[in-house]
Amino acid sequence: HIRREKATSNICTAQVLLAVMASSYAVYHGPQGLRAIAERTHGLAQLLAKGLEKIGVQTTAEHFFDTITFDVKGSEQQKAVRKAAKARKRNLRYGNDGPVSVSLDETSTMSDVQDIIALVAEGIGATNHIDLAPLAEEIILKYPETLARRSAYLTHPVFNAHHS
């Protein structure tokens, strides 16, 4: 829609590249693969929430997908959690006076979850070690029924034929 001689920025090109990458990702994984990635990511987030609960830290939301927000007791504990995260080269998000958030994605592992729980435990002074294996057995993927998708997605044949 922009003629080459009139184009003075790479914004359009950059947006097209993002769209091409997203569509390629969808073609590569297909609907079943995307669902599996989402379920795995959500399962790890639930495991993180359960692990944090075991060391005495509660999440602030009942329902979540891939991002956990939890409250540590005030800014001093938050500073200690931040210091522990920095030492482990973990990037967390810090709110004012206590809340901390962490997001998981398709690259996250059980080891990442264990490390996040350990750094929070260090920051709040908890000494109990959490074994994630038994907790993982208890995970039931849950979300509000109102958020459940009922319609089909990625139904075009290209999303169902070209997986690698």
Side-chain angles (χ1 to χ4, degrees):
H1 67 283
I2 297 175
R3 295 196 174 134
R4 184 174 295 175
E5 62 274 6
K6 298 270 187 183
T8 59
S9 89
N10 292 325
I11 292 173
C12 293
T13 302
Q15 292 302 303
V16 168
L17 289 175
L18 292 173
V20 168
M21 287 177 62
S23 63
S24 297
Y25 190 84
V27 168
Y28 182 86
H29 293 289
Q32 295 84 5
L34 290 181
R35 182 177 188 95
I37 290 167
E39 288 176 348
R40 183 180 170 282
T41 302
H42 182 56
L44 286 173
Q46 285 191 329
L47 185 59
L48 176 57
K50 279 187 174 283
L52 290 172
E53 185 179 300
K54 292 285 187 188
I55 62 168
V57 176
Q58 297 297 315
T59 58
T60 60
E62 180 183 355
H63 301 291
F64 50 84
F65 173 63
D66 63 348
T67 302
I68 303 290
T69 300
F70 53 93
D71 228 347
V72 293
K73 296 178 179 101
S75 60
E76 289 308 311
Q77 278 193 351
Q78 188 191 67
K79 285 177 188 173
V81 168
R82 185 186 297 238
K83 182 178 177 185
K86 187 175 181 181
R88 288 179 167 82
K89 297 184 180 175
R90 295 283 177 181
N91 190 19
L92 307 180
R93 181 178 179 272
Y94 306 95
N96 293 331
D97 297 323
V100 180
S101 298
V102 59
S103 293
L104 303 175
D105 63 16
E106 68 269 23
T107 66
S108 300
T109 64
M110 291 266 288
S111 176
D112 294 325
V113 171
Q114 186 75 58
D115 194 43
I116 293 165
I117 293 167
L119 75 85
V120 173
E122 180 183 326
I124 66 169
T127 57
N128 49 337
H129 173 76
I130 304 302
D131 184 8
L132 291 181
L135 286 179
E137 298 294 324
E138 300 172 12
I139 296 295
I140 298 170
L141 298 180
K142 61 182 178 181
Y143 43 85
E145 189 59 33
T146 56
L147 297 180
R149 184 176 192 130
R150 290 177 183 75
S151 61
Y153 54 97
L154 299 180
T155 58
H156 190 278
V158 74
F159 295 111
N160 295 282
H162 302 287
H163 308 295
S164 212

